[in-house]
Amino acid sequence: MSIKLNDKYVSSFIRAHEYEYIQPQVTMADQKLRSKTGPGKDFLGWVHLPEEYDKEEFARIQKAAKKIQGSCDVLIVIGIGGSYLGARAVIEYLKSPLYNTLKKDTPDIYFAGNCISADSLNELLAICEGKDICVNVISKSGTTTEPAIAFRVFRALLEKKYGKAGAKDRIFVTTDKARGTLKKFATEEGYETFVVPDDVGGRFSVLSAVGLLSIAVAGIDIEQLMAGAAAASHAYSDPDLNKNDCYRYAAIRNILYRKGKVTEVLASYEPFSAMFHEWWKQLYGESEGKDGKGIYPASVIFSTDLHSLGQFIQDGNRNLFETVVDIADTGSSYEIPMDPDNIDGLNFLSGKDLNLVKKTAMQGTILAHVDGGVPNILIEVSEKNEFVLGELLYFFELSCAISGYLNSVNPFDQPGVESYKKNMFALLGKPGYEDLKAELEERLKN
Ligand code: PA5
């Protein structure tokens, strides 16, 4: 595997026998997952997805991606939560957070419908002026308000620009195979559709059509991404904590959680990981944070955040642990130049690669944080490419499911997400919510 868990920097916080003691619980969590008998058992489609995906649809995704590449300057990807974070994370990680401003032969990709902001929508509309546009709208339920509003706006824009028939050729819908308003609408209008599998929840869906279409449009090799995930699914099939780094990560998290380490900070030294962290935060936050339990998932990009949150991590409330993702070879290097005048006193670094400075900063930071009482889990990733990212995505998905079972929650539902929607609908006057509207308005008044 291209991923290695290094638990050296948690060893002063966890005694050897604790792994032994938690092993039976990990084995049981694994059995629940593999035999599909645990909570949320109807949402385990992602476990075998890297191999058992719909090959015909996969070919259609690749074909549609080519068509989009050839027919537009801008692809607007509409979706929220699990319906957008995975694709954006993969594109920014493998291409760049500055993907849209780079010189390239693939379309710009913008994400819409993931907030309720007139500023953001107006900005995107301005960007689209004079450009050829395609749209991929993604919603499993087909009823989520944020993407529904954005789709209404961009569909109207496309129909105005290209006519109804022309727009039809530029709109790609990813939704449930049979149910929901979006599916019904897509069928009526004759849009090309892709499926969010019934048994795959939003935050576990990056390796389905949900993520793959826009990822392929960005020119990323989705076959390699799937192959990496498939390799991980084989590598992490033995529940033995001494042989399974993915399960060991879940076990360490759980052991630390029970010692009061209730916040996990995912750290990386590469800005291209920022959206990957957002994907990870949704995955763990929505899967584990329920029934009054769960580890709060936070994230930092170092060394940037060593100059902001670094103080807190070093010296603040000791209720946290860190998980550091260290990518050995990102494919980039930069030699620090020599300055004959050495006015800045930096010549002791001349000739050294920036990667060495980064590595040293990481090592120094880990030791300082461990000394400060913060356990550090180190995830060593060999290189940055599609295959290895596929492994990493699967590593975190599987570990998250085992973590959820270790903490006796259903990792595959998200009942809490509904609460705000209900209140928002009621306050906005959606038919059917009249009583709740009156009750909430009364509370707001008081
Ligand atoms: O992970 C999840 O299930 C959620 O984040 C959903 O993806 C999100 O709420 C969007 O839902 P939908 O795809 O139904 O529009």
Side-chain angles (χ1 to χ4, degrees), residues 419-428 433-446:
S419 309
Y420 100 90
K421 289 188 193 168
K422 226 171 48 191
N423 286 358
M424 181 179 76
F425 288 150
L427 290 168
L428 285 170
Y433 289 81
E434 291 75 8
D435 290 351
L436 184 60
K437 181 177 164 64
E439 184 198 315
L440 295 176
E441 281 179 345
E442 194 53 36
R443 278 174 64 192
L444 287 173
K445 244 191 269 163
N446 296 333

Side-chain angles (χ1 to χ4, degrees), residues 268 299-311 313:
S268 154
S299 71
V300 288
I301 296 292
F302 288 156
S303 63
T304 315
D305 291 328
L306 285 173
H307 298 260
S308 62
L309 291 172
Q311 169 61 36
I313 297 171

Side-chain angles (χ1 to χ4, degrees), residues 80-83 139-142 144 147 202-203 282 286 414:
I80 194 166
S83 288
S139 176
K140 183 171 182 176
S141 62
T144 309
R203 59 193 174 274
Q282 191 216 354
E286 229 173 61
Q414 52 282 329

Side-chain angles (χ1 to χ4, degrees), residues 365-404:
T365 304
I366 290 176
L367 293 179
H369 288 180
V370 169
D371 288 347
V374 180
N376 267 241
I377 305 170
L378 184 56
I379 296 178
E380 296 169 338
V381 178
S382 63
E383 60 203 302
K384 183 177 89 163
N385 61 35
E386 282 92 337
F387 189 90
V388 178
L389 181 57
E391 288 181 290
L392 198 57
L393 290 167
Y394 195 87
F395 174 98
F396 279 125
E397 287 181 353
L398 182 58
S399 181
C400 178
I402 296 295
S403 280

